[in-house]
Amino acid sequence: RGDPAVREGPLHLHRRAGLLFQKRDKEKRVCAVDSTGFSIRRFVRWFDIRYGKRKKRKDFLKLHFIVDVGSLLILSFKVTPPFKSDSKQVEYLLSFINELARLCADKAYLSRKICNLVAKHGGEPYISIKRNVTRIRSQGSKAWREMLVMYRRSRKLYKKRYHRRSLAETAISTVKRRFSHTLNSKQRRGQKNELRLKVITNTLSII
């Protein structure tokens, strides 16, 4: 319990796995970013003042990840508490990715900051466009402008490339199917390490 090597083991493996993927090839990668929940065998209870009722829901941890849509390898991931913002994890996730060609993402990731981060890593953002985005308004973001210009010029091509994002769901459903979507550890640290090991074990079984 007190051994730092045991506590940091899964995180250390995660970092080494990232280096392994980088050395494997130098081809440009088409990737997708997404997040999902893994449930815990306990409930969170609270009193709802508005309705004057006691409520409960199953506790869970959130997994943020980037997938190579060609091989379905999970190239980088991060485990967070349930309600952490998806978009704020992208910078950390991209730090593990080399040779990025495109990054596909849903509307939760639609922002100029995300577009700039993707461009900084040499890639092109393909993010689902919200209906209320009616003007380009780059506000200094070249990547944002180029993405919207592409969307307006050829929506069919843009959507075809964007919809490869669905392969991220395929990759994570494989993890849940093989290793279960439920975490059995009782302590929070153990739950996080259990989730990390599920992802790493699945990835190593592919490579």
Side-chain angles (χ1 to χ4, degrees):
R1 181 180 176 183
D3 187 350
V6 174
R7 292 200 304 269
E8 298 298 326
L11 189 57
H12 177 62
L13 281 172
H14 175 206
R15 288 169 179 157
R16 293 193 65 183
L19 292 174
L20 176 62
F21 303 145
Q22 291 173 13
K23 292 177 181 177
R24 196 177 178 191
D25 60 65
K26 293 296 182 181
E27 294 180 3
K28 289 274 188 177
R29 298 180 182 276
V30 177
C31 298
V33 61
D34 206 351
S35 67
T36 188
F38 281 75
S39 61
I40 297 168
R41 297 183 184 276
R42 71 180 182 192
F43 288 86
V44 176
R45 294 175 172 82
W46 73 95
F47 184 80
D48 192 317
I49 297 176
R50 182 177 180 184
Y51 296 102
K53 294 181 179 179
R54 294 183 181 276
K55 293 190 174 183
K56 68 176 182 179
R57 64 164 174 79
K58 258 198 170 183
D59 195 10
F60 66 98
L61 287 176
K62 202 170 186 180
L63 178 71
H64 308 266
F65 59 95
I66 289 180
V67 172
D68 179 342
V69 299
S71 62
L72 296 186
L73 284 171
I74 297 177
L75 302 178
S76 65
F77 63 89
K78 185 177 182 180
V79 180
T80 68
F83 302 109
K84 285 287 186 179
S85 168
D86 292 346
S87 60
K88 290 182 179 179
Q89 317 309 321
V90 174
E91 185 172 6
Y92 171 82
L93 295 174
L94 282 174
S95 67
F96 290 90
I97 310 299
N98 282 344
E99 306 300 327
L100 179 65
R102 297 197 298 268
L103 184 70
C104 309
D106 61 28
K107 294 176 183 178
Y109 300 90
L110 183 63
S111 73
R112 292 172 182 82
K113 183 179 178 180
I114 299 297
C115 289
N116 292 340
L117 282 171
V118 175
K120 183 180 177 181
H121 284 79
E124 298 177 339
Y126 280 81
I127 306 175
S128 181
I129 308 298
K130 296 178 181 178
R131 290 184 179 179
N132 62 357
V133 179
T134 56
R135 297 183 182 180
I136 293 178
R137 292 179 179 173
S138 63
Q139 296 182 11
S141 174
K142 183 180 177 182
W144 173 269
R145 180 181 181 81
E146 290 176 348
M147 180 181 72
L148 289 180
V149 168
M150 164 65 83
Y151 177 73
R152 290 188 174 187
R153 284 180 177 172
S154 179
R155 293 194 181 190
K156 186 175 181 181
L157 176 61
Y158 186 93
K159 289 181 177 181
K160 180 181 179 181
R161 291 178 175 178
Y162 158 73
H163 280 300
R164 300 200 74 187
R165 186 200 68 81
S166 62
L167 292 170
E169 297 173 5
T170 303
I172 204 62
S173 68
T174 302
V175 176
K176 291 184 175 182
R177 192 166 57 249
R178 293 183 67 187
F179 303 104
S180 175
H181 65 278
T182 303
L183 303 173
N184 296 304
S185 302
K186 293 183 178 180
Q187 300 298 321
R188 202 54 142 187
R189 180 182 294 160
Q191 291 160 0
K192 289 181 177 181
N193 284 344
E194 182 182 347
L195 179 46
R196 290 179 184 126
L197 286 171
K198 285 178 189 282
V199 177
I200 292 170
T201 302
N202 180 75
T203 301
L204 293 177
S205 71
I206 296 174
I207 62 176

